[in-house]
Every structure is written in structure tokens, then in C-alpha cells.
Amino acid sequence: MQAIIQTRYGASDVLQLASRPRPLPADNEIRVRIVASSVTAADSMMRQGIPRYGRLFLGLFKPRHPVSGTGFSGVVESTGSAVSRFKVGEAVMGESILGAGTHCEYVCVAQDEALAHKPDAISHSQAACVCDGAVTSFNFLHRLGNVQPGQRVLINGAAGSLGSAAVQLAKQAGATVTGVCSTNNLEFVQSLGADAVIDYSVSDPLKTGERFDLIFDTVGKFDVSPALSALNDNGRFLSPVLSLSLLARVLFSRLIGNRRVLFSATGLLPATERLTMLNTLLPLLAQGQMHIHIAREYALSDIALAHDYVDTGHKRGNIVVNP
């Protein structure tokens, strides 16, 4: 099979197309013929091996698992002898974390991973992106932030994969949502349902005088101190991008004051928890109450171009590669 191989950390040119043996499923695994897989900011960070302490999980000097990618959607081609949840020919979606990569033609995944049947109402390209963007945003807004009706929520990076999902989820929860994005994405974020949109090139969203109950910095660009100042009492600042300084603020905020700084590595949560969140989102996707926007699709051989686009920091929605 064709697969994207990475044998060292670095720029997008470390990603190389190569031939690999087609994997064989273990007793509790299914083999999926991949139709689409996502390319995310997290994929870019893993490609670069940043932050460096992340290499404790990825591999100290080079990637422990050479095939890149986590999110995918495809069709079950074969099953192990102990598999009962899925059958050959069924369309499935999910992710493979810290194991077999998904930027390839076939992947083997344990049936008890965060893996579900794909709703007919969404495409494989959309399904491939759900676990990174929508599941992560659900984890932050609902499980960490406990978003409630009537709350005021600020979402930084509102046009990206996490941000575009977060705007929709916060609105569905009954919150008043302000999105922060670039000039080119203002109309897009408004179309997602944001009540207000701030162009960060024009004004500082943390210095408008408005106070928020939740601030979700999906891209890890806000300084924590001014963000905390823009929170109401008992407010929460949420970030999926961990740094040593953020970790210190997470710990410090537990000791002093009522405002909290919260972080979660969604992909490292137990598969049962990630699957529960995925199953909560599937009816919204199936009924058209939530939309997964696909900005660009690339051939597997052009994955370096996909990473380069992600690295611009201005992508709209989600990026997909197709084997």
C-alpha cells in the first residue's frame, strides 16, 4: 500500500510517499480501506516534534510510528476473529492515536477504539475530521468548561477545525458567542452562527471591555494574564495547546482566585470517553444540526502542500487528504 512515512522531525519535506505492506488485523481489529484522512495543526506539531517534551510520547529522536495521521474515514475491508461491532463493507470513522497512522491506504484499528459507523448524511471527508475538531471542542466546552445557556463565550481561532466546531457547539448550548478570526474569515464565522465576530488585525478581543464566562483559545495564541482579566468571576480559560507556562498557570489558578485555566489532551483520554463524545455528536451530524466545513482536499502524494497550508495559520475549517 501507499503511505506517508516520516523518519525524522522537521519541515513538511520530511513527509515522504512510500510503499508499505498492507497491515493484517489482529483478532480484535478491523482493517479499513481509507477514503479520507484529516490533516490538522496537531499533525503539524507532531511532524515537527514540538513542543519537545511531546517527544516522550512520540519518540525521543524520531517518530516511534513512522506513518503520520490520526483521523480517518473509510470502509471495513476485513475483520479479526474476535470483532463483533463491525462488518465487512460498513462505512466507519474514527481515529488512531499514538499507533498506526492514517495517511495511507489501509489502517488496522482495534474495535474498542474511538470508532463508529459513519452517518450516511456526511461525506467521508467530513467524517475524517470529526474526532480532531468536533470531539476536541466538545471536550473543552462541555466537559471542562461546562458551557451553559446564557453564558458569554469567546472563541479564538473561530474559523479553524476546532473553532468552527466550537462556535456551533456553543450556540447549540444556548451561549452568546463571539468569534475571533482574520479579515478573510469574518463572513464564514458569522455563517456558523456567531453572534459577534472580531477581526484580530483590527482590535484586541481581550481589550474590548466585554467580560466572558468562557474563553476557548483553540490556537494557543492568547497571553493568559489578559485573558483572565477578560473573564467574569468563576470564568474559565480553555486551551488545547500546552506549554510549560500554560501548565504553570493551570496549577497556579487552582490555588488562587476563582478563575481557572484548564487544559486537556483530548486524544490521550481513554477510548471509551472519546467514543462517548463521538456518539453524542453523531446525531447532530446525521440531522444536519452541525456542519463540518472542508476547506481543501489533497492527494496523498501532495500531503506536504496540505501541511504547508495548515502552517499558514489561516486555514478555514478542515483539511483532508485522499489516498
Side-chain angles (χ1 to χ4, degrees):
M1 69 170 183
Q2 296 295 296
I4 298 299
I5 305 298
Q6 179 183 348
T7 58
R8 57 188 174 89
Y9 297 115
S12 62
D13 60 1
V14 302
L15 301 170
Q16 299 294 320
L17 187 66
S19 294
R20 301 272 290 185
R22 186 179 299 187
L24 297 174
D27 289 346
N28 70 326
E29 292 182 334
I30 63 172
R31 182 168 68 197
V32 178
R33 176 179 59 80
I34 293 177
V35 178
S37 55
S38 60
V39 178
T40 68
D43 290 327
S44 175
M45 294 176 70
M46 287 188 283
R47 184 201 79 226
Q48 299 172 71
I50 57 173
R52 288 187 176 273
Y53 51 77
R55 299 186 186 190
L56 294 172
F57 301 97
L58 302 175
L60 288 178
F61 304 107
K62 64 179 182 179
R64 185 174 294 116
H65 302 286
V67 180
S68 63
T70 56
F72 70 93
S73 182
V75 178
V76 179
E77 189 197 58
S78 62
T79 65
S81 59
V83 172
S84 57
R85 286 184 62 206
F86 303 98
K87 298 178 181 179
V88 172
E90 292 181 329
V92 295
M93 56 186 286
E95 61 183 348
S96 177
I97 300 292
L98 298 179
T102 60
H103 293 153
C104 53
E105 293 181 298
Y106 298 90
V107 67
C108 288
V109 185
Q111 68 168 343
D112 53 2
E113 248 295 347
L115 191 62
H117 292 94
K118 183 186 78 67
D120 292 337
I122 64 174
S123 68
H124 280 289
S125 293
Q126 292 172 314
C129 303
V130 171
C131 284
D132 177 73
V135 169
T136 298
S137 290
F138 185 93
N139 179 41
F140 274 85
L141 290 175
H142 285 279
R143 292 163 66 96
L144 270 71
N146 191 29
V147 61
Q148 297 294 315
Q151 288 187 327
R152 304 190 70 82
V153 178
L154 179 70
I155 298 171
N156 190 34
S161 55
L162 272 68
S164 59
V167 169
Q168 296 175 77
L169 288 170
K171 284 299 297 178
Q172 289 168 3
T176 299
V177 178
T178 299
V180 181
C181 61
S182 65
T183 306
N184 291 337
N185 288 322
L186 292 174
E187 291 186 6
F188 171 64
V189 174
Q190 288 175 331
S191 73
L192 297 172
D195 298 282
V197 184
I198 297 176
D199 183 343
Y200 64 76
S201 68
V202 175
S203 60
D204 187 335
L206 301 179
K207 295 182 179 179
T208 63
E210 188 172 358
R211 294 292 178 265
F212 301 93
D213 300 292
L214 293 177
I215 296 177
F216 184 20
D217 182 11
T218 70
V219 288
K221 298 296 186 181
F222 280 164
D223 289 334
V224 178
S225 292
L228 289 175
S229 297
L231 286 172
N232 290 321
D233 198 29
N234 297 314
R236 299 291 185 263
F237 174 74
L238 316 171
S239 175
V241 183
L242 184 63
S243 65
L244 293 178
S245 61
L246 181 72
L247 179 59
R249 297 304 293 263
V250 169
L251 299 174
F252 187 71
S253 73
R254 293 179 179 177
L255 302 175
I256 297 179
N258 298 319
R259 296 165 181 165
R260 294 288 179 265
V261 178
L262 301 173
F263 165 81
S264 173
T266 305
L268 298 182
L269 293 174
T272 52
E273 295 183 28
R274 289 182 281 121
L275 181 58
T276 296
M277 291 187 284
L278 176 58
N279 284 333
T280 301
L281 292 168
L282 289 180
L284 300 178
L285 296 165
Q287 297 164 19
Q289 298 177 35
M290 184 174 186
H291 179 70
I292 305 297
H293 177 78
I294 305 300
R296 297 185 183 184
E297 300 193 41
Y298 294 85
L300 190 63
S301 58
D302 291 329
I303 195 169
L305 297 177
H307 273 249
D308 289 342
Y309 179 55
V310 169
D311 289 345
T312 66
H314 296 292
K315 71 181 180 72
R316 178 182 296 182
N318 300 268
I319 309 301
V320 170
V321 292
N322 307 113

